[in-house]
Structure formats: structure tokens, C-alpha cells
Amino acid sequence: MNLTVWGTRGSFAAPGAEYVGLGGNTTCIEITAGAGRLIIDLGTGSIPLAASLVAGAHGRGASLSILLSHTHIDHIQGLPFFSPFFIAGNRIRILGPSTADAPLEHLLQQYLRPHHSPLHGLENLAATVTVDEVDCGTDLTVEGFTVRALPVLHGHATALGFRISDGRRTVAIMTDVDGHDDNTAQLATGADLLIHGATILDGAQSSIAAAIALAERAHVPRVILTHFAPGATDAAILAAITAAAATTSIAVSAARESFPIPL
Amino acid sequence: MGYDRRMNVTFWGVRGSYPVPGPSTIKTGGHTACVEVQRAGGRLIIDAGTGLRGLGKKLARTGDAGPHHILLSHVHWDHIQGLPFFEPMGDADASVVIHGLPVAATSLREVIDGVLRPTIWPPDVGPVRAALSFCEIAPGQRLTIAGFEVSPFTLNHPFGAMGYRIDCGSGSLAYVSDTGPFCDVLHKQHFLAAPEPLTAADRRTLENMRGDVIATLRGVHTVIYDTHFLSEEYARFSHFGHSTPEHALEICHEAGARRLVLYHHAPSHDDDLMDDVEARYRARGSDLAIAVDVAREGKTLNASDSRQPESAS
């Protein structure tokens, strides 16, 4: 299994010299194993990923599955610019959360509505696109992976965390999580890697400390942090992670945009 | 009197479509559309792309409660995404006035302060505490906003967009973004998968629009123009509603403008390409007596006519 974080920022993209080491694109993660591929979230990081996909099979017509953790803008900002949507013959399935607000497909349509996007709606994409709300808590088979999704605490929004396995390795992914509960424990328990958001770098609310505590409880040997705040510089992030890593035997590091992570 | 009549323009975001972080955009900038126009004692903000976040931080530091006047060209995401992250929006003592086309107002309210707010904006976007108001304006009006004379005019862009001429003292500026050229495609309010053939009525509409733009820009000092595409790119995407530096130079030349600022750069146009573009179009501009600059984030230009006295004292 290989994993690449294409967007390491939460909330808002961070152009500028202070952010080029870890990256300034909003969130997107790619997981590959054999011929299988999963994409998690469509922040601006999905746009450079899209270019590599269209250079291959998705330039001619192929299937693709995208998991959306939720519809905050930093997770869907790349949707109107994700080039596989503009290739006829591509079959793209979007799987995301059910919310009390509105059906997922309706929320994505609202993002593309004519006032705000010249695409006017999902129906104008050349690819065949289906949008499904994920059945939480059951093991689904998607592109050869076993995927379990569960809602995690994230303000007053429903955000999904994921547990993804290729049969040999398992990764738990929770980029937007404000606290830990039975669901995050279930997603993480026994995983080989925890990908965790790091919006807050230090203090009592530190996301890094919360990630390490979860990994220790759930027996996860390795943590990679991502989804950094837009104002957090490379230097500040690396200093906070180095300090936190010294307190644990778990391997803790920062995601770097577009660098492959073998698992 | 010591009255400073200059008008300065600062670029907070210069990109079109979406923000582009990374090592290849550091010199030009990666944030989307946002321009600050200043005179002594007054400020206008044009467009609220991701560049607006940085401007909001500056205003919050200086404790300026406004009213902050924001003119919107239109409400495509790359022109409004910074609004919820504009720090004065969370300040109960501040006021923010958004000026734009009526067609946009309802939709913008839903996104900024309405039903769509919790599903789109992440939790670090706090509640709107500022006094927020929407002011519907239309092409052809002559307005005075924050001490500037503002003349909105119609542009050629999907679902409608407005440009602005802004005059104050010896300063004059036009903001012409987003727009396609006034020839190949007439943008209306339906989806375009490809360029549609023009009817005779469409051609007349485009000719009139072009005539109005040139009449409004007549004699203006500085023109900020949507030059998203290079000409070879435009040939493939003429229905996207963006122009090239050639289109911009033609309009500036006919209007007698002094300076053209290339703006709304395509995300794929990196720093090296923008340096090439600047050199190429500076040479073409000099043949027409038009100074040409590439809009770069963080840079400030003076948009005042130096042939007139800088100060009335």
C-alpha cells in the first residue's frame, strides 16, 4: 500500500514561501495498492493529482472512487477543477456522509450552482458521476479496499473518519476531528498508520497530543500529521511535532505534499 | 491644504480559478482575486477572493472598523472565497458593505450568512458579528462610495459580471475582470459546453458592450484586466469568459489608457512564465505608449496622473 498526501492544509490554502516545505494545498489523500486507487477528499491538492491521473488511464476513460469526509470548502474546492470529471468515459463514484442538512448530492450541486461556478451542476460533467451516501459502520469493498467509515466529532458538522485496508496493511484517516470517542477508537485500533489532523499545534487543545494519545490507546505504531492551519509555517509545525514526538515511542511525523509514503 | 490626491492600488490576490500554493508561484502570488484601492482617508476593496484574508488581518491589526466597502465583479468562488475569512466580519464593532449585481445577492447571502454556511465553511470561520449589508448596484450608475467616484459597467462573463471605473483626485483606475473579449462568444445565464454561434442580435449586444467599456475607460490612468489566457490557450477555451493580453492591449489602446496591469493569472502560469509574459507584453505595450505590468501579490502601484499636481497645497 502506498499513500500520498496531495494537500496538507485545512480550512484555507496557504501560498507563500513559509509553507512550501510541507505544502499549502487544501486536503487530498491518495491511496494505491496494486491496481486499486482511492482518493480521499477534493481540496486544491486534488488538482495536481488529477493531472497525473489524466496523463494515464483517466485520460481515456476509467473508473475512479472518491471518498469525501464532508463538504467543507477545503475538502471540495478542487471539485470544479478535477480534470477526470471532464473526460467522457470516466466513471466516477463519490462516496460521502449523510447529513441532517441535505442529501450529499444536493450539497455538491449547491457548490456548482450557476452563481458560483460556470459548470452549473454535476450533470454538465463529461464523466459519468454518481454520488452515494456511505453506509456508516459496515465494511464496504471499494476498488479492492475494505473501507469502514464512521462519523467523528467536528464542530457542528458531520465529518467522516475512515479505516482502509488492502488486506495486508490498514490505515486510519481522520483529518477533521475535534475530540476522540468510541468511533475514533474503532477506526484506529490495530491500524498500521494513523493519519490525523493537526489544526492546533500545542496547548491544552493540541491535536498532536490527541493524535499520540489515540495511537497509544489503539496500539498504532505510526502517526502522520496533516491538515495544518493556514497560518502555521513549516518551521512552527516541525518544531511542534519534534517536541511532541520526544514524549512517545510512536513514530510521529509531518505529511509533506506529494511525497509518497510506503506502508 | 496639504491634501494628498494620489490613488494607490495594492494586490492581495492575482490568480483566477483557485489558489495555487507552492514554490513556483512565490514571486507572482498564489491567492485569488482581491485588490485594495486607497486614497488619503478612504479605501475600496474590489473582489473577495482568497487574497482578502490577508487584507482582513491588516485591517484588524490597525483596528479599522470600517465601514469596509467591497465591490464584487461577480460571485464565482474565486471572487468570494475570502469573505468568510475576512477578520472584520467577526468584529461586532465593524461594518462591511458588499456592493454587487442584484442577480448575486440572494445566493451570496445564503453562502455567507445563510442556510449553506455550516455545510461549506470550516469551524474556524466564526459567526458574522459585523454589521453586514448588501447593496445592489447596476451597470450605468454613477456612485460615490467611500469618497471615490465609482462607475460600474457590464462585462462578458458567464452569469454576468461588472467592471468598475474608479476616480478620485488625480487618480483613475479601471477594474476589468472577469471578462471574455467582446467578439467570439456572448455569455448569458446558461451553461456553455462549447462556443455557441452568435446571432445578429448577439453581435449587436457585444458591440454595444465593447463600446460602453471603451467609453467608460476613456483616458483612464491604470487598467487592471482579466488576462487569464495566453492566445494559444484562448483558442481552446474561448467560451470560458476570459481574455488574453492582446485583447486587453486593444481595449486599452482604443480607450487611451496609460498603463495595463495583467491580472487573474491562470493557475498553471508559474513565475518563470509570468516573467516571460511581462517582458513580451512590455515590448508590445511600448509600441502603443502603454506601460504593462504583471499584477503581483503584495505590490502597490500608484494610479495617479503625475502630469497633474500631486498635491493641491
Side-chain angles (χ1 to χ4, degrees), chain B residues 4 6 31 73 86 129 146 156 162 178 195 202 211 234 249 261 270 276:
Chain B
D4 187 346
R6 279 186 309 176
H31 281 298
S73 59
F86 184 54
R129 293 203 175 88
N156 188 24
M162 249 178 340
D178 292 358
D202 290 343
Y234 174 77
L249 272 174
V261 185
D270 63 15
D276 289 349

Short mmCIF file of all heavy atoms in Angstrom, two decimals, chain B residues 4 6 31 73 86 129 146 156 162 178 195 202 211 234 249 261 270 276:
data_model
loop_
_atom_site.label_atom_id
_atom_site.label_comp_id
_atom_site.label_asym_id
_atom_site.label_seq_id
_atom_site.Cartn_x
_atom_site.Cartn_y
_atom_site.Cartn_z
N ASP B 4 -3.62 65.06 -0.06
CA ASP B 4 -2.96 64.08 -0.91
C ASP B 4 -3.97 63.52 -1.90
O ASP B 4 -4.96 62.91 -1.51
CB ASP B 4 -2.37 62.96 -0.04
CG ASP B 4 -1.52 62.02 -0.86
OD1 ASP B 4 -1.60 62.08 -2.11
OD2 ASP B 4 -0.79 61.23 -0.26
N ARG B 6 -3.32 61.39 -4.38
CA ARG B 6 -2.90 60.16 -5.04
C ARG B 6 -3.86 59.01 -4.77
O ARG B 6 -4.54 58.97 -3.75
CB ARG B 6 -1.51 59.76 -4.57
CG ARG B 6 -0.40 60.53 -5.25
CD ARG B 6 0.92 59.97 -4.84
NE ARG B 6 1.02 59.89 -3.38
CZ ARG B 6 2.05 59.37 -2.75
NH1 ARG B 6 3.06 58.88 -3.42
NH2 ARG B 6 2.08 59.33 -1.44
N HIS B 31 -2.75 33.66 -4.32
CA HIS B 31 -4.14 33.88 -3.88
C HIS B 31 -5.02 34.39 -5.01
O HIS B 31 -4.54 35.02 -5.96
CB HIS B 31 -4.17 34.87 -2.71
CG HIS B 31 -3.79 34.25 -1.40
ND1 HIS B 31 -4.52 33.24 -0.84
CD2 HIS B 31 -2.76 34.49 -0.55
CE1 HIS B 31 -3.96 32.88 0.32
NE2 HIS B 31 -2.88 33.62 0.51
N SER B 73 -17.10 41.95 -8.57
CA SER B 73 -17.31 41.87 -10.02
C SER B 73 -18.41 40.85 -10.32
O SER B 73 -19.24 41.04 -11.19
CB SER B 73 -16.02 41.47 -10.73
OG SER B 73 -15.56 40.22 -10.25
N PHE B 86 -12.54 37.01 6.29
CA PHE B 86 -12.18 38.43 6.42
C PHE B 86 -12.39 38.81 7.89
O PHE B 86 -13.52 38.84 8.37
CB PHE B 86 -13.11 39.21 5.48
CG PHE B 86 -12.85 40.69 5.38
CD1 PHE B 86 -11.60 41.19 5.05
CD2 PHE B 86 -13.90 41.59 5.57
CE1 PHE B 86 -11.39 42.56 4.93
CE2 PHE B 86 -13.69 42.96 5.44
CZ PHE B 86 -12.43 43.44 5.13
N ARG B 129 -20.35 38.84 13.08
CA ARG B 129 -20.75 39.77 14.15
C ARG B 129 -20.81 41.20 13.63
O ARG B 129 -21.46 42.05 14.23
CB ARG B 129 -19.76 39.70 15.31
CG ARG B 129 -19.79 38.37 16.04
CD ARG B 129 -19.26 38.50 17.47
NE ARG B 129 -19.40 37.25 18.20
CZ ARG B 129 -18.50 36.28 18.19
NH1 ARG B 129 -17.38 36.42 17.51
NH2 ARG B 129 -18.71 35.17 18.88
N ALA B 146 -17.25 55.70 -0.35
CA ALA B 146 -16.04 55.97 0.45
C ALA B 146 -15.22 57.11 -0.16
O ALA B 146 -14.00 57.10 -0.09
CB ALA B 146 -15.20 54.70 0.60
N ASN B 156 -18.42 40.63 -20.12
CA ASN B 156 -18.88 39.45 -20.85
C ASN B 156 -18.37 38.19 -20.16
O ASN B 156 -17.27 37.71 -20.46
CB ASN B 156 -18.35 39.55 -22.30
CG ASN B 156 -18.93 38.47 -23.20
OD1 ASN B 156 -20.02 37.94 -22.93
ND2 ASN B 156 -18.21 38.13 -24.25
N MET B 162 -19.50 42.55 -13.58
CA MET B 162 -19.40 44.00 -13.71
C MET B 162 -17.96 44.44 -13.54
O MET B 162 -17.25 43.94 -12.67
CB MET B 162 -20.21 44.67 -12.59
CG MET B 162 -21.42 45.37 -13.10
SD MET B 162 -22.44 46.13 -11.82
CE MET B 162 -22.06 45.38 -10.31
N ASP B 178 -14.12 39.69 -14.22
CA ASP B 178 -13.69 38.77 -15.28
C ASP B 178 -14.46 39.12 -16.56
O ASP B 178 -15.65 39.42 -16.51
CB ASP B 178 -14.02 37.34 -14.89
CG ASP B 178 -13.18 36.84 -13.73
OD1 ASP B 178 -12.32 37.58 -13.24
OD2 ASP B 178 -13.42 35.70 -13.27
N PRO B 195 -18.27 26.96 -27.54
CA PRO B 195 -18.73 28.25 -28.06
C PRO B 195 -20.02 28.07 -28.86
O PRO B 195 -20.16 27.09 -29.59
CB PRO B 195 -17.59 28.70 -28.98
CG PRO B 195 -16.40 27.92 -28.55
CD PRO B 195 -16.91 26.62 -28.00
N ASP B 202 -26.89 39.02 -30.94
CA ASP B 202 -25.73 38.81 -30.04
C ASP B 202 -24.58 39.73 -30.44
O ASP B 202 -23.92 40.33 -29.60
CB ASP B 202 -25.24 37.36 -30.12
CG ASP B 202 -26.21 36.37 -29.50
OD1 ASP B 202 -27.09 36.80 -28.74
OD2 ASP B 202 -26.06 35.16 -29.79
N GLY B 211 -18.36 49.03 -26.86
CA GLY B 211 -18.40 50.49 -26.95
C GLY B 211 -18.52 51.14 -25.58
O GLY B 211 -17.85 52.13 -25.29
N TYR B 234 -6.42 30.55 -25.24
CA TYR B 234 -7.74 31.12 -25.54
C TYR B 234 -8.40 30.40 -26.71
O TYR B 234 -9.62 30.15 -26.69
CB TYR B 234 -7.62 32.62 -25.84
CG TYR B 234 -8.94 33.21 -26.29
CD1 TYR B 234 -9.94 33.50 -25.37
CD2 TYR B 234 -9.21 33.43 -27.64
CE1 TYR B 234 -11.17 34.00 -25.77
CE2 TYR B 234 -10.44 33.93 -28.05
CZ TYR B 234 -11.41 34.20 -27.12
OH TYR B 234 -12.63 34.68 -27.52
N LEU B 249 -4.74 44.81 -24.49
CA LEU B 249 -3.98 45.91 -25.11
C LEU B 249 -4.85 46.65 -26.13
O LEU B 249 -4.80 47.88 -26.23
CB LEU B 249 -2.73 45.37 -25.81
CG LEU B 249 -1.47 45.25 -24.95
CD1 LEU B 249 -0.36 44.57 -25.74
CD2 LEU B 249 -1.00 46.62 -24.44
N VAL B 261 -2.38 46.54 -16.39
CA VAL B 261 -1.87 45.56 -15.43
C VAL B 261 -2.52 44.22 -15.74
O VAL B 261 -3.75 44.09 -15.68
CB VAL B 261 -2.18 45.99 -13.98
CG1 VAL B 261 -1.54 45.01 -12.99
CG2 VAL B 261 -1.68 47.40 -13.70
N ASP B 270 3.23 29.84 -14.07
CA ASP B 270 4.17 29.94 -12.95
C ASP B 270 5.02 31.21 -13.06
O ASP B 270 4.89 31.98 -14.01
CB ASP B 270 5.01 28.67 -12.83
CG ASP B 270 5.89 28.42 -14.04
OD1 ASP B 270 6.09 29.35 -14.85
OD2 ASP B 270 6.40 27.29 -14.17
N ASP B 276 8.30 35.94 -18.45
CA ASP B 276 8.32 35.98 -19.92
C ASP B 276 7.17 36.83 -20.47
O ASP B 276 7.35 37.63 -21.39
CB ASP B 276 8.17 34.56 -20.51
CG ASP B 276 9.41 33.72 -20.30
OD1 ASP B 276 10.45 34.30 -19.89
OD2 ASP B 276 9.34 32.50 -20.53
#
